[in-house]
Amino acid sequence: MFLFQLNQTISSLKNIGPAKLTLFEGLGITTIYDLLTFYPRKYKNKKELVSVKESLQKKIPSNTKICIIKSEFIGNRYKKDLKLFAVETSSNTPIAIPLFGRGFLQDKYMAGAEFYLYGQATQNNFEISFSSCDLEPAIVSDKSEFGHIVPVYHQKKGLTSKYVAKTISRAWSMYAQYLIDELPDYLIERDNLLSISQALKHIHFPSSFDLLEKARESLKVREIFLLYLKIQYNSRPVAIRGLVDMRSSTLDLQKKAIAGLEFELTEDQKSSLAQINSDMLSERVMYRLLQGDVGAGKTVVAFLSALLPLSLNQQVALVVPTELLARQHYQSARAFFSKLGIEVGFLTGSNSSSSRDEIFSKIEKNEINLIIGTHALFGDRLKYANLKYVIIDEQQKFGVEQRDAIQKKGENPDILLMSATPIPRTLALAFYSDLNISEIRQKPEGRLTIKTHLALHENSHKVYDFVEQQLQLGRQAYFVYPLIRDSAAKSLKSASTMFSHLQSAVFPGRRLALVHSELPEEEKELAMEEFSQGKVDILVATSVLEVGIDNKNASCIVIEDAQQFGLSSLHQLRGRVGRGKYQSYAFLIYSEDLTDSGKQRILAMKESCDGFKLAEEDLKIRGFGEIDGKKQSGLSSFTLTDLQKDIKMLRIIKEEVSALLENTNDKHLELLLSNKEYFSNVLVTY
Ligand code: ADP
Ligand code: MG
């Protein structure tokens, strides 16, 4: 669905003032589009009558009419709590309803008053009671929820589900008529789907469960349709470049380097390398994704593969998302390549202008063949003499345009994307059936599995004690926080505050250092450097740690307010430890008031250390809607229970999209493609 107005902020709605605006923001809602696609978490069935007896038997919420017999104060807390005694009008079944903190409402519950009741009945020895339920005066009114299927939204303090519903309803009445459907009419008709406005109406305010199901299906189809369209629109046909100038020496350098490694490559590393070699020597340009968990050893595979073009005097660029990671790769690259007599260049935003000019000129003259750096590597002014191979590490951190920009620096260069956040197999096959994927699943030998523990905030001192024991053994530790500094809006721990606290109150005799993205580059580097050299015991940080830093002596990572991090971030962070020979530990500290998905994420982390499994799990938790990285875009509030069924749907839609794209004169398609915003932000440019 799209239209211009959808990007308008919700402040255009009458009932949204500044205070409400902030509250909605807290739910991830800023635009009309966000609002209309903020789907209910669940529904209350207040439509069908369910008697108290049925509620007990079937363990489903009761939905019935009751008549009050009497009400009494209970407990001794200044008449704060009330207990209602009532009967179900249809059956005369006696029931009891405790109402805590509602003593002041006694007048409302006078004998003889009738109410609609919705809630789960429980039976104890003496009575049938409802520990929590909705009560609504049984009078005829437009506002009544009784007789309807009621949507339940995620809510926040100051922003009830009811208010969210009201706001959505208002937005729908104002904007539904302007919605433009991304699905072509013939598809809607053929598959008997709901129009976009009807689908939205019935996902929020279904008049029956059948319609709700249909709305859900209809929206799913659209979401996937659009995702495919984006992916295929961004894809290019495979380029053919003719056979590679294959000299007998091409693989020699690689063989020599393998022989010189201080470890034996794992089988998965060997097979991945063989796949890459064969791609690079074929006449088709390589487009391959190398997936492997943190620490699986992707870097060495990338380095080894670079030796093919390097031995032909061609240029290789290794692009990484952060300065930190660039430096680290640069260091290991120098150790690796200097033995082979190959110079390594380094280029990031932090190069001085004179060193930048020098490197620019060397690259342009083919005096440096291997260059490592950040997005500076595809800056406008930089020209490559002979760029034949582009390696993009942590590829998910780069946007489509960026990946395009670097590719265009050469003439059909081979591309190797690397990622430690795997695309789940199921999904990869459905979406990217043409993408070549190599996987390193097996960890290098001798790695111990990281032990993951969960702890509530109030038990964090126990975790700190454990860390202290590890420090006494000579190990080092990371502490990670979701915020840089304390925020008035969120009651979360921050790196800056905790840094001071840990230093002064918890680990007074230890050396601590702090890193986060707002510190000057030199300060960050110094902290990292000292941590690597063992001069610092504890590194306190934000998620900047996610990629980069490699310290084999670090054995503990403590992630506080862990529920705030996404599953892939958590997994990446955990991968900072367990890189050496020591048993390592990850502690996820969380607070009581977890969201469902926060809880699922933390439990998934405890369950598994396998990035591939976690990626599948993440998909289940988030649903397909978030795959393209956009929060709340579509299906995110659905948990996909039947992945197989959905995959089948994916395949069918994929064919439709291909057919549509072939007919480029299609008016509908033109309209879609003209909406630029939809075509950025795709996971893989394929
Ligand atoms: P990632 O896949 O996360 O990029 P790295 O390439 O950084 O992993 O590898 C992690 C560590 O494992 C590095 O210190 C590397 O030298 C080491 N390593 C890589 N392959 C092997 C292997 N086959 N045996 C032992 N150690 C290895
Ligand atoms: Mg890596």
Side-chain angles (χ1 to χ4, degrees):
M1 130 196 76
F2 61 93
L3 85 177
F4 294 116
Q5 286 95 320
L6 288 183
N7 293 329
Q8 261 182 32
T9 103
I10 53 168
S11 56
S12 60
L13 297 169
K14 269 207 315 274
N15 60 336
I16 306 288
K20 282 282 188 284
L21 203 61
T22 314
L23 287 170
F24 271 103
E25 244 167 51
L27 290 173
I29 301 171
T30 50
T31 66
I32 299 289
Y33 178 90
D34 297 337
L35 187 64
L36 290 177
T37 55
F38 188 74
Y39 302 138
R41 188 162 66 83
K42 60 177 188 185
Y43 301 84
K44 287 183 181 173
N45 184 2
K46 295 192 182 183
K47 190 178 166 73
E48 273 118 41
L49 288 171
V50 179
S51 69
V52 171
K53 204 171 139 209
E54 225 179 322
S55 171
L56 282 172
Q57 277 169 354
K58 297 189 187 160
K59 295 205 162 42
I60 55 170
S62 173
N63 185 43
T64 188
K65 198 166 154 191
I66 60 165
C67 181
I68 305 288
I69 308 285
K70 61 173 178 170
S71 61
E72 278 176 4
F73 289 108
I74 50 169
N76 206 358
R77 293 169 50 219
Y78 309 100
K79 300 198 166 182
K80 274 186 179 159
D81 305 329
L82 210 55
K83 184 170 182 177
L84 308 182
F85 296 90
V87 291
E88 180 177 42
T89 47
S90 60
S91 67
N92 263 332
T93 310
I95 58 169
I97 307 169
L99 293 177
F100 297 104
R102 293 292 152 96
F104 65 97
L105 286 178
Q106 193 185 29
D107 287 352
K108 192 176 163 190
Y109 301 107
M110 282 184 312
E114 290 189 326
F115 286 86
Y116 292 126
L117 170 149
Y118 176 90
Q120 178 62 52
T122 49
Q123 165 110 53
N124 19 39
N125 290 342
F126 305 108
E127 62 187 12
I128 298 171
S129 70
F130 290 81
S131 57
S132 80
C133 60
D134 297 351
L135 288 174
E136 176 189 315
I139 43 172
V140 183
S141 129
D142 283 352
K143 289 192 181 135
S144 179
E145 290 190 341
F146 186 77
H148 299 281
I149 298 169
V150 180
V152 181
Y153 297 92
H154 278 293
Q155 45 185 20
K156 273 189 105 62
K157 201 159 186 263
L159 191 59
T160 60
S161 170
K162 238 182 200 158
Y163 196 87
V164 173
K166 200 169 94 188
T167 312
I168 291 177
S169 160
R170 183 164 296 172
W172 188 87
S173 344
M174 277 176 73
Y175 291 99
Q177 54 182 320
Y178 302 114
L179 297 176
I180 300 173
D181 215 314
E182 57 266 62
L183 278 193
D185 291 344
Y186 79 88
L187 251 178
I188 298 179
E189 251 165 61
R190 190 197 69 187
D191 293 350
N192 192 18
L193 300 166
L194 294 177
S195 72
I196 185 67
S197 65
Q198 288 302 302
L200 282 174
K201 179 177 173 182
H202 291 295
I203 196 89
H204 289 294
F205 311 106
S207 51
S208 73
F209 282 99
D210 281 350
L211 268 170
L212 171 60
E213 197 43 47
K214 204 162 170 182
R216 198 177 283 197
E217 200 69 14
S218 297
L219 290 170
K220 238 188 216 179
V221 169
R222 280 175 179 85
E223 194 69 25
I224 293 165
F225 177 85
L226 205 59
L227 199 56
Y228 264 136
L229 196 61
K230 287 191 221 178
I231 291 167
Q232 302 212 355
Y233 177 72
N234 280 297
S235 76
R236 278 158 299 258
V238 183
I240 305 285
R241 62 169 157 222
L243 273 175
V244 174
D245 171 19
M246 173 71 173
R247 289 174 216 162
S248 57
S249 60
T250 315
L251 285 168
D252 285 359
L253 199 56
Q254 190 182 77
K255 283 187 194 134
K256 185 177 155 196
I258 293 173
L261 286 175
E262 57 208 28
F263 47 75
E264 171 90 3
L265 291 178
T266 63
E267 287 309 312
D268 284 357
Q269 283 174 316
K270 283 184 199 162
S271 62
S272 296
L273 184 61
Q275 287 164 347
I276 296 169
N277 283 345
S278 124
D279 281 1
M280 298 232 275
L281 295 172
S282 87
E283 59 181 358
R284 304 172 86 206
V285 174
M286 173 166 80
Y287 206 91
R288 183 171 284 278
L289 175 64
L290 176 61
Q291 308 198 119
D293 244 328
V294 255
K298 297 182 291 295
T299 315
V300 70
V301 172
F303 285 176
L304 287 166
S305 68
L307 292 170
L308 266 68
L310 288 174
S311 69
L312 297 169
N313 201 26
Q314 297 169 341
Q315 285 178 313
V316 178
L318 170 56
V319 195
V320 300
T322 65
E323 172 92 27
L324 188 73
L325 194 55
R327 273 184 198 283
Q328 201 197 298
H329 272 331
Y330 178 58
Q331 275 170 15
S332 27
R334 269 203 314 203
F336 179 95
F337 289 100
S338 65
K339 283 187 260 175
L340 304 163
I342 295 169
E343 193 191 341
V344 187
F346 179 73
L347 184 66
T348 68
S350 72
N351 285 57
S352 69
S353 67
S354 63
S355 90
R356 186 170 55 230
D357 290 346
E358 193 190 324
I359 288 190
F360 274 27
S361 128
K362 280 185 162 180
I363 293 174
E364 202 166 337
K365 293 190 199 134
N366 212 12
E367 287 168 9
I368 284 187
N369 282 355
L370 174 60
I371 176 92
I372 293 179
T374 56
H375 51 273
L377 290 185
F378 43 89
D380 279 344
R381 279 176 43 226
L382 181 54
K383 293 197 175 58
Y384 291 80
N386 187 16
L387 180 63
K388 279 290 156 58
Y389 186 24
V390 174
I391 304 167
I392 305 181
D393 198 9
E394 306 295 344
Q395 64 93 17
Q396 75 283 0
K397 303 261 173 196
F398 289 94
V400 181
E401 287 86 13
Q402 293 176 308
R403 283 187 299 239
D404 268 4
I406 181 78
Q407 276 163 250
K408 290 197 183 113
K409 291 286 179 185
E411 199 183 312
N412 284 332
D414 282 319
I415 311 278
L416 182 69
L417 305 169
M418 298 204 284
S419 169
T421 334
I423 304 172
R425 258 280 162 206
T426 32
L427 195 67
L429 285 174
F431 275 108
Y432 315 106
S433 51
D434 324 326
L435 175 68
N436 297 299
I437 301 180
S438 298
E439 289 181 349
I440 307 181
R441 282 182 169 250
Q442 183 184 33
K443 299 267 162 71
E445 231 164 75
R447 291 279 163 80
L448 294 160
T449 312
I450 301 166
K451 295 195 171 151
T452 303
H453 299 283
L454 312 183
L456 274 168
H457 265 311
E458 60 245 42
N459 293 326
S460 50
H461 60 278
K462 292 185 191 161
V463 174
Y464 299 165
D465 287 348
F466 185 90
V467 171
E468 176 56 32
Q469 287 170 22
Q470 286 285 304
L471 298 181
Q472 279 169 21
L473 293 173
R475 301 290 84 72
Q476 291 163 281
Y478 299 100
F479 278 73
V480 185
Y481 298 90
L483 300 178
I484 294 178
R485 60 183 63 81
D486 288 357
S487 139
K490 298 174 188 143
S491 61
L492 297 170
K493 297 206 170 175
S494 75
S496 308
T497 307
M498 285 304 289
F499 172 69
S500 315
H501 171 71
L502 292 171
Q503 178 72 82
S504 60
V506 187
F507 302 102
R510 300 288 176 187
R511 281 205 57 186
L512 277 73
L514 174 68
V515 280
H516 57 69
S517 59
E518 286 177 12
L519 289 175
E521 212 44 64
E522 307 85 71
E523 235 173 274
K524 266 191 271 183
E525 256 163 54
L526 184 68
M528 301 286 200
E529 190 65 35
E530 293 195 327
F531 185 71
S532 305
Q533 293 168 354
K535 290 185 193 157
V536 161
D537 303 303
I538 295 177
L539 193 59
V540 180
T542 56
S543 59
V544 289
L545 276 191
E546 213 182 290
V547 293
I549 200 148
D550 182 22
N551 181 343
K552 293 187 165 51
N553 188 48
S555 69
C556 295
I557 183 161
V558 180
I559 306 172
E560 301 213 39
D561 281 319
Q563 73 281 352
Q564 291 303 113
F565 296 88
L567 193 49
S568 72
S569 287
L570 286 173
H571 181 60
Q572 292 268 347
L573 286 168
R574 178 168 58 185
R576 293 310 108 205
V577 298
R579 298 172 88 88
K581 57 179 185 281
Y582 305 110
Q583 175 61 56
S584 294
Y585 306 86
F587 297 95
L588 307 186
I589 300 184
Y590 62 97
S591 53
E592 276 305 354
D593 56 337
L594 286 178
T595 61
D596 289 348
S597 61
K599 191 170 174 183
Q600 280 172 299
R601 285 196 297 268
I602 289 179
L603 287 175
M605 283 291 290
K606 166 113 182 114
E607 286 289 301
S608 176
C609 272
D610 179 342
F612 291 90
K613 264 206 200 116
L614 287 172
E616 298 275 358
E617 197 54 37
D618 200 26
L619 178 67
K620 275 190 217 150
I621 297 172
R622 294 195 300 172
F624 277 111
E626 276 188 31
I627 287 159
D628 65 347
K630 233 169 147 192
K631 206 166 57 135
Q632 285 293 349
S633 76
L635 305 166
S636 42
S637 38
F638 297 120
T639 312
L640 295 182
T641 44
D642 189 356
L643 213 55
Q644 286 313 329
K645 189 175 139 218
D646 287 316
I647 294 285
K648 213 156 138 199
M649 180 159 90
L650 287 175
R651 294 228 166 87
I652 296 169
I653 293 172
K654 190 175 178 182
E655 278 162 28
E656 293 294 345
V657 170
S658 306
L660 192 66
L661 277 172
E662 262 165 38
N663 182 6
T664 41
N665 288 328
D666 191 298
K667 277 273 169 301
H668 182 81
L669 188 66
E670 257 173 51
L671 188 65
L672 274 177
L673 298 183
S674 67
N675 197 324
K676 255 276 168 211
E677 211 182 287
Y678 272 21
F679 291 91
S680 50
N681 206 7
V682 183
L683 192 67
V684 174
T685 46
Y686 208 84

